[in-house]
Amino acid sequence: MKRIVTLQDISCVGRCSITVALPVISAMGVECGILPTAVLSTHTMFKTFTCKDLSDQIGPIADAWKQENITFDAVYTGYLASAEQCSQVCSFFDRFYDGNNLILVDPAMADNGSLYPAFDESFPTEMAKVCAKADIILPNITEACLLTGTPYKTSYDESYIHELLKKLLALGCYTAALTGVSYEKGRLGVVSLDRNGDTFSYFTRHCPQSYHGTGDLYSSTVLGGLMRGLSLGNALSLAADFVVACIEATASAENARWYAVEFESQIPLLCEMLDQRLKNN
């Protein structure tokens, strides 16, 4: 069984970050270690929340793992709370990268044209340093624009997306997969480009609803698929289909929670979808 570790926060209530990554990756048949960067009472979409920064624990935990000779087949990062943590994560990559393991970065910091409220304008520069060390990065369009200094557009064509992907590769990563791309009404998907010039795109139906945590759900599913042996294209498409299923399940639930996407009820479907793709991979 493959073993990965994810570095991001824990929201005690609200489906996001480690609260999503741990059950999803585990359900896909991959051991999921965690290194919490902070503990929040809820995620930040709630009006009232507490937050305990755990930056001072990242180094000691990494030290203990090194002493025990613990290794990981992949390292996956999501929401990082500060520029200091970006630097710490870069050091973690350097310590645990062995030439064979995968580094996947979800630069979770912005959406809909704006940075999340917790970050200032200097944060994208620090996140770009994290992305530079990655094999795969999974930004949305807003994050990609902030990482590369590109003007954000809500209306665009394929050439705009391709140029954005090339700028992301220039940061230093091997593959950039841009999420939330739409070339036609009612269709939404992902487009990727790697250093060899290979491209991939996959589009599915665009759900009108929007729920917190879908980005974390997408990235976690991609990594789980890769660790089970799926090709990148299969992993990206699996994640897109699963997120749509979860959004639709949330929208149809009588007790749908406004603050996060329902994924728990769809875990059996994820396992079925994964098995089918493994057979056809």
Side-chain angles (χ1 to χ4, degrees):
M1 181 180 290
K2 299 285 188 179
R3 177 193 300 122
I4 72 98
V5 61
T6 183
L7 291 79
Q8 49 189 313
D9 69 279
I10 293 176
S11 292
C12 298
V13 172
R15 305 173 177 110
C16 68
S17 302
I18 286 176
T19 316
V20 168
L22 179 57
V24 168
I25 293 171
S26 298
M28 297 178 77
V30 179
E31 181 184 347
C32 183
I34 63 170
L35 203 171
T37 57
V39 176
L40 288 80
S41 57
T42 63
H43 60 62
T44 56
M45 290 296 290
F46 286 80
K47 293 181 180 179
T48 302
F49 61 90
T50 65
C51 179
K52 174 62 176 178
D53 189 300
L54 298 179
S55 296
D56 62 350
Q57 296 301 304
I58 295 175
I61 290 172
D63 290 343
W65 287 346
K66 291 300 288 187
Q67 290 181 34
E68 293 293 338
N69 296 314
I70 294 172
T71 59
F72 302 101
D73 295 292
V75 181
Y76 158 36
T77 70
Y79 184 94
L80 303 177
S82 66
E84 177 189 2
Q85 287 190 352
C86 289
S87 177
Q88 290 178 303
V89 166
C90 287
S91 297
F92 186 92
F93 289 162
D94 292 340
R95 296 187 69 183
F96 285 88
Y97 182 67
D98 61 12
N100 295 308
N101 47 12
L102 178 76
I103 295 177
L104 185 146
V105 171
D106 175 5
M109 62 178 181
D111 204 358
N112 298 315
S114 301
L115 276 170
Y116 294 151
F119 301 128
D120 61 30
E121 296 300 320
S122 67
F123 187 79
T125 299
E126 300 306 312
M127 181 57 75
K129 296 174 184 177
V130 179
C131 291
K133 292 181 174 290
D135 295 294
I136 301 170
I137 61 173
L138 294 168
N140 60 36
I141 294 176
T142 300
E143 290 159 348
C145 289
L146 290 168
L147 288 167
T148 62
T150 302
Y152 174 73
K153 295 182 179 181
T154 54
S155 297
Y156 49 80
D157 56 16
E158 292 186 29
S159 63
Y160 174 82
I161 296 299
H162 187 71
E163 287 302 312
L164 198 50
L165 286 166
K166 289 199 294 185
K167 291 179 181 179
L168 289 169
L169 291 182
L171 297 176
C173 61
Y174 184 81
T175 298
L178 193 56
T179 63
V181 177
S182 179
Y183 296 138
E184 60 179 299
K185 186 176 180 180
R187 306 292 291 176
L188 190 72
V190 58
V191 181
S192 70
L193 177 69
D194 67 24
R195 288 186 191 174
N196 294 325
D198 293 329
T199 63
F200 174 82
S201 62
Y202 182 79
F203 297 91
T204 184
R205 55 193 176 279
H206 183 187
C207 300
Q209 302 87 358
S210 178
Y211 299 108
H212 197 74
T214 52
D216 301 324
L217 190 61
Y218 186 86
S219 298
S220 299
T221 306
V222 169
L223 182 59
L226 291 171
M227 290 296 98
R228 288 298 307 275
L230 291 183
S231 66
L232 177 61
N234 267 336
L236 293 172
S237 62
L238 169 65
D241 289 341
F242 181 54
V243 169
V244 167
C246 292
I247 291 173
E248 292 179 341
T250 308
S252 64
E254 292 184 2
N255 61 342
R257 302 298 181 93
W258 65 267
Y259 57 79
V261 65
E262 176 185 317
F263 69 89
E264 296 91 342
S265 66
Q266 302 305 302
I267 288 291
L269 174 62
L270 173 61
C271 295
E272 292 176 11
M273 294 165 66
L274 174 61
D275 288 343
Q276 187 60 48
R277 278 173 167 78
L278 288 171
K279 292 176 181 177
N280 299 328
N281 192 33

